[in-house]
Each structure stands twice: as C-alpha cells, then as structure tokens.
Amino acid sequence: MSKIKEAEQRASFPKMEEKISEFWKKNDLFKKSIEQRPEDERFSFVDGPPFVSGMPHPAHLFVSIAKDVIPRYWTMKGKRVRRVFGWDCHGLPIEAKVNMKYKLKGRKQIEEEFGVDRYVKECRKYVEEFSENWRWYIEKIGRWADMDNAYYTMYPEFNESVIWAFKQAWEKGLIYKGKRVSLYSTDTATPVSNFEVAMDPDNYQDTEDLAIFLKFKLKEHPWKDIVADNPVHMLAWTTTPWTIPSNFALAVNEAFDYVLVEFNGEYFILSEVRLEYAFDTSEQEIGEDAGKTVQILKRLTGSELEGLEYYPAYDHFVDRTTKNDFKVYLLDDVTNDEGTGVLHIAPAFGDVDFQFGLKMNLSFHSDIDEEGNMVVEPWKGVYLRDASPLMAEDMSEKGLLLRTEPYVHRLPFYRGDNPLIYMAQDAYFLDVQKLKDRMLELNQNVNWYPEHYKNGRFAETVGTSPDWTISRSRYWATVMPLWVNEKGEEIVVGSIEEMREMTDQIDKKEVDGKTKYFVDGEPFSFHRDICDKIVLTKDGVEYHRVPEVLDCWMDSGSVPFAEYHYPFENEETFNNAFPADFIVEYSGQVRAWFNVLFRMSTFLFDKEPFKNVVCHGVLSGNDGRKMSKTYGNYTDPEDVLKNLGGEAMRLYGMGSPLMAGGDMNWSDEELNERVKTILIPYWNTYRYLTMYANLHDWTPTDDHFPIENILDRWLASMVKKAVKEYSEAIEGYDIPSSVKVLQPTIDAVSTWWIRRSRDRFANGDTDALQALYATLVLMSKAFAPQMPFLMEEFYQNLVVNVGLDGAKESVHLEDYPSDLDHDEKLLEDMSWVQTLCSLGLNIRDENRLKLRQPLLKAVAPIEDPDLRSILKAELNVREVDYSKTQPKDKDHLTVVESNGLYLGLDLNLTEDLLSEGLMNELARQIQVQRKEKGLQVGEIVSLHYVTQSKALADVVQKWTDELKGRLSVDKILLASSSDDSMTELKVNDELIWVKLEAA
C-alpha cells in the first residue's frame, strides 16, 4: 500500500482538470468505459447536432454538459452508452457563409454568374475546412463524446437514409405537390417552416410598417336615395400596401354592424365599431345628426353587402381574372380588433386569403417575384417594403386613400434582414394531418421533463401544425430524390443502387475495403452538383431531377436511423437503439427537432422516437437580451473555462432552473458561487483528509465505514442517503435536483461532522480518518457524473495510488454505488441534536456568551448518551442532563422551545468556568499565530510568554498540559521580559506577549 499524497492547500481547478483530461486521453478511458459494458445492456442516446457555422456559446455548452452527465451515470450503472457527436451541415447558415465570402446576392447571381455546381462545392468546402475549435470546448467541459467518428448530415451514407425515408413517405401517400401558403423568406427566396421561426422568440421583432386606409369604389349600390349619384367606397385597411395589385376580393363579417357614412363629401362603408379608429376621432365628431364631421347615414348588416362589385385599385391583372373576382363576400375570419371590418383579400398572400380564394375560385396572381421584388409597373424591380410608400403616394394622388399611419407589430424574421411574408407557393408537402392522431397517441409513452411539455406545448404543436413544406428552392441540402419526364411522370428513388439501375453515370468501386460511388470521377453525393447531372432512363424515356432540395429539418428528423446508415447497414444495431432512451435540447426544439423526429418516427416505424426527453430553457445575456458578443452581455466561455474550469460551468448550468425548463439570464455571480460553495468545500475536505493522513502516517486498507462512533455511523447514513437522492433525481431526469444534493452533503461533512471530530483527527484517531476516507471514496463514485474531474482526482489519489484492492483505472470505470442502506432514525435523531445546538447557540448569542466560554450544564430531551455527548461538545457545556419534560424556571435555567423540542442552559459562570474560557480564547489566538508563521499542523514548537496579568498567568499555569496538547507545544517558558521578537496579544482585555520557536 502507498501513502495518500497530500493535496495542495489551494486548488487550481483549471490546471487540475487539464491534468485529468490528459490522463483520460492517454489511457483511452472514454472508449474503455463503453467497451467494458455488455453489448446486450444498451442505453441509447441521440445527439442533436449543432451547426458547423459559428462557435459555441454558454447555452451550447450547458446542453452539451447534460449530454455528458446522463450517459456517464448510466455507464456507471452498467449500461453500454454509445455517444457519437454529430454535425448539422446543410442549410442557410452555410450558404450565408459562402454568400458573404463571395459577396453573392440573389438567386440570379448564384445561378447565372457563380454557378450552382461551384456554389455547392464551396458550401461543402466550408464544412470540410471548419476548424476543430469545438473539440477544445467539449474537452474543457469534461464531455466524453466520439468526435473522431462523428456523423455529418452531408455524407452520402447519411443522405441515402434520408432519401430512403422520403421514398417511404411518398409510397405511403404522405407527400403531395400543391399550392399552399407558408412563411417565405424573400432574403433567401425559399419557404421557411413555421416551427423554424417559432422555436426562438427572438425571431419575432417589433417592426414598423405603413398602414393605409384604402377606398374601393363600388360599381353599383342600392342607396342612391341617400347619396344620389355620388360614388360609395368600401373602406379597407392593410399594413401591406404592396399586396394591393394582387387584391381580388373584399370580405365582411355577417355578424358585424356596418354603416354608410359621409365624410368630407365622400361616402364610405365600414364597421360601426371601427369608426373612431378609421376617422381618427380625436379631431372628428361622429353621429347621425347633420353637421357632424362623420355623419352616419344608414346602418347595414354584413349580409346586405354580400355580392356587391367594386373596381380594383390597379388593373395589372384584370385581363386574367375570373367572374368571381372583385366582389364583396362574407367571411367569419374578418375581425373588429383592428382595421375597418372590411378585409382586403389577396389570395397569393396570407393563409386566410389563400383558403378563401380556393373556396371562391378567385384569381391567385402575385405582384412580386421570388426575391420579393415587384413585377408590376411602375415599381418593377423595387423590393416590396420599399415599394409600399411609393404605392401609397400613387394611390393618394389617384384619390384612393383616406389616410395613412405608421403601424408597429411583431413580425417573424429568419436568417435575413427583412421580415418573412406569408405567400402562396408551389411546393412539395408532407401531409402532417394524417399523422397527428397517432403522434399524440405515441407521445403518451414518452417521459417529458418538465412534464408539462408533454400534453402542453408539444401536444399543442402537433395539434395545430400545418402540413410540412418539405421542399426548398435552395442549393446546399440533400436533393429531393424525384425525377420527372416531359409528360410529368415521376420516379422517386430511395437508394444509390436504385439510381444505378436506371443510369450508367454512377461508377461503383471498392476503396480501402469499402464500397464507394463516383460520377465523372468525382465522389458521389446527394447534392445538386452531382445529382443534377444524372439522367435516369426507364422504358427508354429520360427523367431529369426536379430542382428542389429537401428541407434540412428532414436531415434532423432522420438522425436516429441515418447516423447508422439504416436500413442499408447496422440494422440490428439501430433496432437495439431505437427508440432512444434519452435526448435533450432546448425548449424551442419542442416545435422543431422533437416535432420532426416524431413525424418521421411515426410514419416510418409507428413508434415514438425517444423514451425520455429533457427540455431546457432559454439562456439569455446578463441584461435579459439574447446573448451577443456585440452586446457584451455574457462572459466568453473560453475565459470561463480557462480561469474557473469546466467543473464550475457544469455545476452552474446543471444546477440552474434552465435544466428544469426555466429561462434565465447569465450571471457571473452565480457561476462564481458554485466555485465558492461547492468546489472549494469539496477540495478543502479532501485536503483535510490528506493532511491528517500524512501527519499520522495513516494508509487505508479498505473503503468501509467504521461503526463504533455514533458520528461515523451518522456520516455513513447521511452520505448514503444523499447518494440515493442524487441517483433518484438523475433517473428521473431532474438534473437540477441532483446538483442540489451536492452542497448540503459537503456542508454536513465539513461544518458538522469534521467540526465535531477535530480532536479525533488531531489525536490520529484511525476511525475518524477511515470515516472521512470512506465518505470521499463513496462521493468520488457517486458524484462522478456531475463532477468528473474533481471526483477523478479524489479517486486517483485515494484509491488508485494507494493500491486499494479492487481499484479501477479510473472512477469512470467503476460501478455506481449500490449499497445505500442507511439508518433513517439516526438521521432524524441527529437532526434533533442539530436543532438543539442551534437553540443553544441562540441563547449564547442573546446573552453575549462566546462559544469558547464553557458552561456548567444543559438539559435536553435526548436519552441516548452518545447523542448527549455530541450536544455537550457542540454547546461547550460540562454536562448534558436528560429530561423528558421541559424544565421549570425554578431550575435556574434559561429555557427555549421550538417545534416541541426544548433546551435549558445554566448560564451561571464559576471561577473555574471563567478560567477555562480565558484559556480557550488564549489558545485560539496562539493558533492564529501558528498559521501566520506558516507552521504546519502538528509541527512541534516551544512557547515563550510574558504577562503582567495575574489572570492570564494563572491560566497558563493551570492549563499547561491542555495548551501543550492543543498547540503542539513541547515547552511553555516564562520569559524575563518582552522584546521585539514577541507578539502582543489582547485576550479578554488582558495583555500577554508570546513567541513561538522551533523545538
């Protein structure tokens, strides 16, 4: 057996973590931790991949830590936990990097000047050249993840699984091509899924638009007896003036009351409750009486307006209209919350407009192109938001406007400078409506944490989801595996081999023992630069691929099986890992990743995609805004990891409300608090053991708890109960509750058990040393999932280096502690003792009696003599008497009571008690001198003193042996006089000069 190495007085946690990290890598311990567990005892974890663009911020690191804590725990519980990292490679973020690099703007420049092939290659190149800076962060936070074999959503093996899934959906009749309104980005000229936007509240911004009150002149009307031959206008309101050329109907609500009014010699129809707003009544008078600025001439029902025809504001599309256009219709969706109660219908924009247009067979002409530029004169080529004020000015000149006003509302943004619009577009859709009921049924099998997401936000998301726009008019994504011929006949392929059956353009070769595919000498990939070249032939007819690519969220939804290249290989491995036992991402993924995982798992496997899911909240900057380097509202995680270490990040993130689904702001104070209240106390307790083990030349022979001393039995029970609570919290996926166990546990060890055991340590009591040793070894195993670095440090020094029987190479190769039986009654009894101690200390405080001043007696309802001895030492009394009933005043005791517990203290001080109190105070101050001189614990010195105080002189004489033992002094010598080498001490207003010298 080897000695325990004494720990440094002050730990540099980052340095210690770096040493441990190198130890892990050198000995390949991550791999060993997985491979030592049996193949048939699997716990599966699916990693939601981060984008390769950009560096991780604290929220990335927090979720990454959660992805480490749970797998580490289940590994120690005997499970084989595969932990493969992943990279999300496709989509607009990568395209944005290429656009920025080459200053590309717009589809025309990309396709006609730069070229699609070159563009796709540049996107691929960016991903391949992306630095491995993430690896540094992952290692620093202590996460074990296989980054060397990470899956990439752009690799052909992954993409082949994705197109297989697409074909499954196609063959099940879930995919259709049609026109439907969805969110659309004019910045990127592509549809955007509603869940992409909804997943992040910051995607919505307050935006000012120009609102217009527009006059639509009726062709005929029945009120000539009221207005004579004057024209009557339907008064509509919109915040999108640019859509007016695409207006093909007006709508009113049958349930509303409308009015015909006169204003400035003109006649208008609008909802009565919107009069004040429409005519800005701060300056207008409204009424039925003549002479009013706004005079109500007639009240009308919505039904009376149905069927009226009007003249369009612009005639750009009048030669392409139907007989149903430019009429007033009834529509329940018209509201009185804003506007005029008359709805302008542009079927090409907005879901209500679109659906109504379909129902009434209205025209669907759009006045903008795919990049949001106007296609009608005189604004052709002007971006829609820039066109709105120009069009308003034109309408004003034509007498078509009542007035305009600025209007602020919240609009969705997504990876662009301009707000998204709702636009009808031709696209391919996945029919989510056919999946909803089954998704909700399967969801009942899932354990959600927090639980309210299960039948709350997730169920609501599923229930209100529109069909999924699965196609994108972009470039860097998995291709849509759909080929068509001149007649519009379609072929959908689900594998490379299916494609090879219909083309000779794909070469198959064996490279380094693996099957590889090539096109014109280039490695095959499911991207446009390769697949757009491939022509399929069936029955002598050529088929060419459609230009669309798949929504990259289909990649994300395919991760559970595509990372295995299922169903083309690893079929058994996938089946054993699906559904996943655990996944974790932030709450925005309830609408996004968790949602698409469910969609695809439902139609592919008729199973829920995961069994347990943790949804963490949103982490904002210290000012409540989104984290941004521009705002400077959070500490750079690189600085945190270098200065405080990964353990601090782990404790801060996992112990926060964030991991319980709550949102929070970054706080340096909270982060530092974890170091002060958890890491440092754990380190100091560990150091305390190593210091006394070396002082007394003690080496452990096993890690069992001693049972002779009641304090040691209590310590064993307290720690085992804490470990059980930690384990239960982890298995319930309540990570914050598991972290909450850590601080009270170490506080109980250090501020209660060690304080009550100090004399035992000073005297070399082997039971005390063994009890603390067993505690720290148990902690090292139990809390290793949360504090992998520090617990490894404990384990290496206390177990491995000592040569303890059964020691593993690393604590992370250990089995999780299972012997957690504990004495609940003893814990309860000790809790009573601690309460009584608090009552006694309160009495002392109220009577200004320091704890170093001994008292004669206490009386308490504690029958066990061992427990009374603890109370005696903690309260510094000569005796503790047991009394079943509360003492009376005649017993000359000061008595306090709390929750049925009582304590009596005799506060009368004898000369003997005062002498002992003075000795205690003197010993304390000399101990301070030992520390200031840098003397080690147990280092023997001689004490020289001089005093004019008879009281202090008597104390030194009376308590010589006690002082020698406490102060590690071999001789106490009275000096003839004080000199500069002596230190003056003031002890209870008495002076003494002392000097400590090496023996």
Side-chain angles (χ1 to χ4, degrees):
M1 304 291 284
S2 300
K3 289 182 63 175
I4 294 173
K5 179 183 176 183
E6 186 168 347
E8 298 176 3
Q9 183 172 357
R10 292 186 177 181
S12 170
F13 293 113
K15 287 184 179 179
M16 181 267 292
E17 292 170 9
E18 187 174 353
K19 177 191 71 175
I20 295 297
S21 185
E22 287 301 316
F23 164 70
W24 288 341
K25 285 191 286 186
K26 180 181 178 181
N27 294 281
D28 207 8
L29 289 169
F30 171 36
K31 184 178 180 181
K32 290 177 181 176
S33 74
I34 295 175
E35 292 183 349
Q36 73 169 0
R37 302 304 180 182
E39 288 273 4
D40 58 352
E41 287 289 335
R42 290 185 176 272
F43 179 93
S44 57
F45 161 66
V46 176
D47 189 3
F51 272 119
V52 296
S53 59
M55 295 307 298
H57 58 64
H60 288 127
L61 298 184
F62 283 170
V63 70
S64 219
I65 291 166
K67 294 173 182 179
D68 184 68
V69 171
I70 299 296
R72 279 189 188 270
Y73 173 82
W74 285 108
T75 296
M76 295 182 73
K77 291 285 283 188
K79 299 293 185 179
R80 192 180 183 98
V81 188
R82 175 181 179 270
R83 285 168 266 174
V84 173
F85 204 81
W87 292 109
D88 200 346
C89 309
H90 288 145
L92 294 176
I94 309 304
E95 291 190 11
K97 297 292 184 181
V98 175
N99 293 344
M100 186 183 302
K101 179 178 180 181
Y102 291 100
K103 298 180 174 56
L104 299 173
K105 293 183 179 180
R107 182 180 300 279
K108 182 177 180 180
Q109 190 177 8
I110 291 173
E111 294 183 358
E112 297 180 11
E113 298 177 23
F114 199 80
V116 172
D117 283 10
R118 181 185 173 195
Y119 189 80
V120 170
K121 287 179 170 60
E122 287 296 330
C123 290
R124 183 183 296 113
K125 181 180 178 183
Y126 174 84
V127 176
E128 290 173 344
E129 292 180 351
F130 180 72
S131 70
E132 285 209 336
N133 288 342
W134 269 76
R135 186 184 294 268
W136 183 89
Y137 288 91
I138 295 300
E139 290 180 355
K140 285 295 183 183
I141 60 174
R143 180 183 175 188
W144 275 357
D146 186 354
M147 301 187 77
D148 294 328
N149 297 297
Y151 69 83
Y152 286 72
T153 61
M154 71 175 189
Y155 283 178
E157 294 81 8
F158 189 100
N159 300 151
E160 188 171 28
S161 295
V162 175
I163 69 160
W164 167 81
F166 179 90
K167 184 172 183 180
Q168 301 304 303
W170 181 276
E171 292 180 343
K172 292 178 181 181
L174 293 173
I175 294 175
Y176 65 90
K177 185 178 183 180
K179 182 184 287 288
R180 192 175 68 79
V181 166
S182 63
L183 286 168
Y184 185 85
S185 167
T186 56
D187 291 307
T188 56
T190 192
V192 178
S193 294
N194 65 320
F195 59 78
E196 289 183 271
V197 181
M199 65 188 290
D200 188 347
D202 288 327
N203 286 335
Y204 286 83
Q205 302 174 23
D206 286 338
T207 307
E208 182 178 291
D209 273 320
L210 180 67
I212 63 172
F213 294 79
L214 180 61
K215 309 170 189 178
F216 287 96
K217 180 182 174 181
L218 293 174
K219 290 184 177 180
E220 297 288 341
H221 61 80
W223 307 295
K224 289 192 177 184
D225 58 326
I226 299 175
V227 303
D229 291 330
N230 293 303
V232 175
H233 300 91
M234 299 295 294
L235 187 63
W237 173 90
T238 183
T239 59
T240 57
W242 56 270
T243 63
I244 295 302
S246 294
N247 168 271
F248 291 100
L250 298 175
V252 295
N253 195 313
E254 186 176 19
F256 294 170
D257 294 322
Y258 288 85
V259 287
L260 170 64
V261 301
E262 179 184 359
F263 174 70
N264 286 350
E266 293 188 280
Y267 299 91
F268 301 97
I269 294 175
L270 68 159
S271 171
E272 184 171 10
V273 299
R274 302 303 297 169
L275 280 171
E276 293 182 5
Y277 174 65
F279 293 103
D280 190 9
T281 58
S282 60
E283 300 179 2
Q284 313 298 339
E285 295 183 18
I286 298 176
E288 299 182 30
D289 300 335
K292 294 292 185 183
T293 309
V294 181
Q295 184 183 4
I296 298 175
L297 303 176
K298 185 176 180 62
R299 286 183 168 80
L300 305 164
T301 64
S303 298
E304 290 179 81
L305 302 174
E306 183 182 16
L308 293 175
E309 297 184 28
Y310 66 90
Y311 295 101
Y314 292 105
D315 59 1
H316 296 99
F317 303 112
V318 292
D319 58 340
R320 289 180 279 168
T321 56
T322 72
K323 63 179 181 179
N324 295 329
D325 292 333
F326 309 125
K327 292 182 180 179
V328 178
Y329 292 91
L330 297 178
L331 176 61
D332 291 341
D333 289 310
V334 178
T335 72
N336 263 333
D337 297 333
E338 56 186 10
T340 65
V342 177
L343 183 64
H344 140 62
I345 301 286
F349 306 102
D351 191 50
V352 170
D353 304 52
F354 176 77
Q355 296 298 336
F356 190 73
L358 287 178
K359 180 179 179 181
M360 297 300 172
N361 193 28
L362 301 176
S363 296
F364 280 84
H365 303 301
S366 172
D367 58 0
I368 63 171
D369 64 17
E370 60 190 10
E371 294 181 345
N373 297 318
M374 303 299 295
V375 296
V376 296
E377 298 292 352
W379 311 285
K380 189 172 183 179
V382 179
Y383 183 68
L384 60 91
R385 294 183 67 78
D386 299 324
S388 282
L390 300 177
M391 297 173 72
E393 183 179 354
D394 181 72
M395 285 184 273
S396 180
E397 291 176 356
K398 288 180 167 64
L400 299 177
L401 288 190
L402 173 68
R403 68 183 182 92
T404 66
E405 67 176 5
Y407 186 82
V408 177
H409 49 170
R410 292 188 70 75
L411 295 179
F413 287 73
Y414 191 74
R415 302 191 185 279
D417 298 326
N418 292 293
L420 303 177
I421 64 173
Y422 284 92
M423 187 169 80
Q425 53 214 289
D426 291 314
Y428 289 88
F429 299 91
L430 189 142
D431 192 342
V432 176
Q433 312 317 308
K434 293 180 180 178
L435 304 176
K436 285 182 177 181
D437 291 345
R438 186 55 176 157
M439 287 173 66
L440 292 172
E441 289 176 8
L442 293 172
N443 182 43
Q444 297 308 307
N445 300 330
V446 179
N447 171 45
W448 287 79
Y449 187 85
E451 186 179 9
H452 62 79
Y453 281 113
K454 180 173 185 172
N455 295 314
R457 188 184 298 183
F458 184 73
E460 180 184 349
T461 295
V462 173
T464 59
S465 290
D467 288 349
W468 181 6
T469 314
I470 209 165
S471 62
R472 291 290 184 270
S473 303
R474 295 305 301 174
Y475 310 100
W476 179 235
T478 307
V479 296
M480 180 172 287
L482 176 62
W483 276 254
V484 297
N485 64 21
E486 290 183 348
K487 295 181 180 180
E489 296 169 331
E490 301 162 321
I491 294 175
V492 173
V493 298
S495 70
I496 300 175
E497 288 297 336
E498 283 185 43
M499 294 171 68
R500 291 185 73 242
E501 291 174 2
M502 292 178 278
T503 183
D504 58 4
Q505 292 175 264
I506 304 175
D507 296 323
K508 182 178 181 180
K509 299 179 181 178
E510 291 296 317
V511 180
D512 298 328
K514 293 184 177 181
T515 301
K516 299 289 183 181
Y517 297 90
F518 298 86
V519 175
D520 294 337
E522 293 185 74
F524 178 88
S525 75
F526 287 95
H527 295 109
R528 291 193 60 178
D529 60 331
I530 298 296
C531 289
D532 284 5
K533 301 175 185 176
I534 295 174
V535 178
L536 303 184
T537 303
K538 183 179 180 182
D539 299 328
V541 178
E542 289 188 350
Y543 290 75
H544 297 266
R545 202 189 71 80
V546 298
E548 287 87 353
V549 295
L550 292 173
D551 177 10
C552 62
W553 282 101
M554 192 167 187
D555 292 344
S556 303
S558 301
V559 165
F561 56 90
E563 68 168 308
Y564 294 98
H565 193 205
Y566 175 92
F568 305 100
E569 56 182 324
N570 303 311
E571 184 172 355
E572 183 179 355
T573 304
F574 165 71
N575 288 333
N576 290 334
F578 188 82
D581 289 292
F582 166 66
I583 64 172
V584 55
E585 295 295 341
Y586 94 106
S587 55
Q589 300 293 5
V590 171
R591 293 186 173 97
W593 192 46
F594 300 153
N595 186 16
V596 297
L597 284 172
F598 242 101
R599 290 176 181 180
M600 299 192 68
S601 178
T602 300
F603 79 72
L604 287 172
F605 308 109
D606 195 32
K607 290 183 180 179
E608 62 278 8
F610 39 79
K611 300 174 184 176
N612 300 282
V613 53
V614 173
C615 304
H616 69 82
V618 177
L619 180 65
S620 300
N622 52 33
D623 56 2
R625 293 185 293 179
K626 184 175 182 178
M627 283 189 163
S628 168
K629 290 185 178 179
T630 303
Y631 301 150
N633 57 0
Y634 67 98
T635 304
D636 188 328
E638 182 177 355
D639 293 336
V640 173
L641 295 171
K642 286 181 177 178
N643 298 324
L644 294 180
E647 216 88 281
M649 284 283 282
R650 293 175 73 98
L651 291 167
Y652 175 38
M654 298 304 97
S656 72
L658 199 75
M659 296 312 299
D663 299 339
M664 74 172 204
N665 297 344
W666 174 268
S667 170
D668 287 328
E669 292 75 15
E670 290 290 332
L671 174 65
N672 285 301
E673 194 67 14
R674 300 303 186 274
V675 178
K676 295 175 185 176
T677 60
I678 300 180
L679 288 179
I680 291 176
Y682 269 88
W683 182 266
N684 288 342
T685 303
Y686 163 66
R687 180 178 175 272
Y688 191 84
L689 171 66
T690 65
M691 180 177 66
Y692 278 102
N694 277 270
L695 177 66
H696 299 299
D697 198 24
W698 178 81
T699 301
T701 57
D702 59 52
D703 60 359
H704 297 111
F705 283 91
I707 59 173
E708 296 301 319
N709 189 301
I710 192 170
L711 273 170
D712 299 343
R713 296 199 303 275
W714 169 83
L715 178 65
S717 284
M718 185 277 297
V719 175
K720 288 181 178 181
K721 182 179 181 181
V723 172
K724 185 176 181 182
E725 290 174 350
Y726 178 90
S727 177
E728 289 173 347
I730 290 288
E731 293 191 16
Y733 298 90
D734 183 358
I735 300 175
S737 290
S738 72
V739 177
K740 287 177 183 176
V741 171
L742 303 178
Q743 183 179 338
T745 303
I746 197 61
D747 286 349
V749 175
S750 61
T751 63
W752 177 252
W753 182 84
I754 285 181
R755 192 173 76 243
R756 292 276 40 88
S757 304
R758 278 178 183 154
D759 290 345
R760 298 167 66 200
F761 279 97
N763 297 328
D765 184 322
T766 56
D767 275 2
L769 290 163
Q770 180 65 32
L772 185 53
Y773 175 82
T775 295
L776 291 175
V777 171
L778 177 58
M779 284 179 169
S780 72
K781 299 174 184 178
F783 302 149
Q786 175 58 48
M787 298 186 287
F789 294 112
L790 187 59
M791 297 302 100
E792 184 74 273
E793 174 74 12
F794 285 11
Y795 188 83
Q796 289 301 314
N797 191 17
L798 302 180
V799 178
V800 177
N801 294 344
V802 167
L804 203 67
D805 286 345
K808 304 287 187 180
E809 188 178 4
S810 164
V811 69
H812 302 289
L813 302 182
E814 279 279 4
D815 292 335
Y816 199 81
S818 56
D819 179 15
L820 300 177
D821 291 339
H822 55 275
D823 188 336
E824 196 66 45
K825 184 178 185 306
L826 176 57
L827 293 175
E828 184 179 2
D829 290 346
M830 191 65 76
S831 176
W832 291 350
V833 171
Q834 291 170 320
T835 299
L836 291 171
C837 289
S838 295
L839 294 175
L841 294 176
N842 287 339
I843 294 175
R844 281 182 168 276
D845 287 343
E846 291 171 0
N847 291 274
R848 297 183 179 179
L849 289 170
K850 294 180 179 179
L851 188 57
R852 285 181 290 278
Q853 173 60 61
L855 300 176
L856 187 64
K857 184 176 70 171
V859 177
I862 299 297
E863 190 170 6
D864 189 317
D866 289 334
L867 293 173
R868 289 206 306 274
S869 68
I870 296 171
L871 189 62
K872 171 184 171 183
E874 183 70 8
L875 293 180
N876 194 10
V877 295
R878 295 279 177 84
E879 295 294 338
V880 175
D881 293 340
Y882 166 66
S883 175
K884 190 173 183 179
T885 59
Q886 184 171 320
K888 307 297 183 183
D889 293 340
K890 63 183 177 62
D891 295 321
H892 307 293
L893 298 172
T894 299
V895 181
V896 292
E897 186 268 339
S898 177
N899 296 325
L901 285 177
Y902 61 83
L903 179 78
L905 275 185
D906 187 341
L907 303 183
N908 295 310
L909 298 178
T910 65
E911 288 298 323
D912 187 43
L913 291 172
L914 288 169
S915 173
E916 185 176 350
L918 194 59
M919 181 272 296
N920 288 337
E921 182 62 29
L922 174 63
R924 183 191 71 82
Q925 294 203 32
I926 295 176
Q927 284 285 20
V928 171
Q929 292 302 305
R930 284 184 61 93
K931 289 183 179 179
E932 290 181 354
K933 288 181 68 68
L935 296 171
Q936 299 298 311
V937 174
E939 185 177 345
I940 303 299
V941 295
S942 59
L943 171 64
H944 301 261
Y945 76 98
V946 174
T947 183
Q948 302 298 318
S949 167
K950 182 178 184 303
L952 283 176
D954 289 345
V955 162
V956 173
Q957 292 299 316
K958 180 177 181 179
W959 300 95
T960 295
D961 291 341
E962 179 73 17
L963 289 169
K964 284 182 177 180
R966 284 198 197 181
L967 302 174
S968 299
V969 168
D970 66 339
K971 297 176 183 178
I972 300 180
L973 304 172
L974 178 64
S976 57
S977 62
S978 63
D979 56 37
D980 291 341
S981 65
M982 305 188 84
T983 301
E984 179 185 284
L985 303 179
K986 189 174 184 180
V987 183
N988 290 5
D989 297 325
E990 305 284 342
L991 295 179
I992 187 171
W993 287 262
V994 300
K995 178 172 65 175
L996 299 172
E997 288 186 343

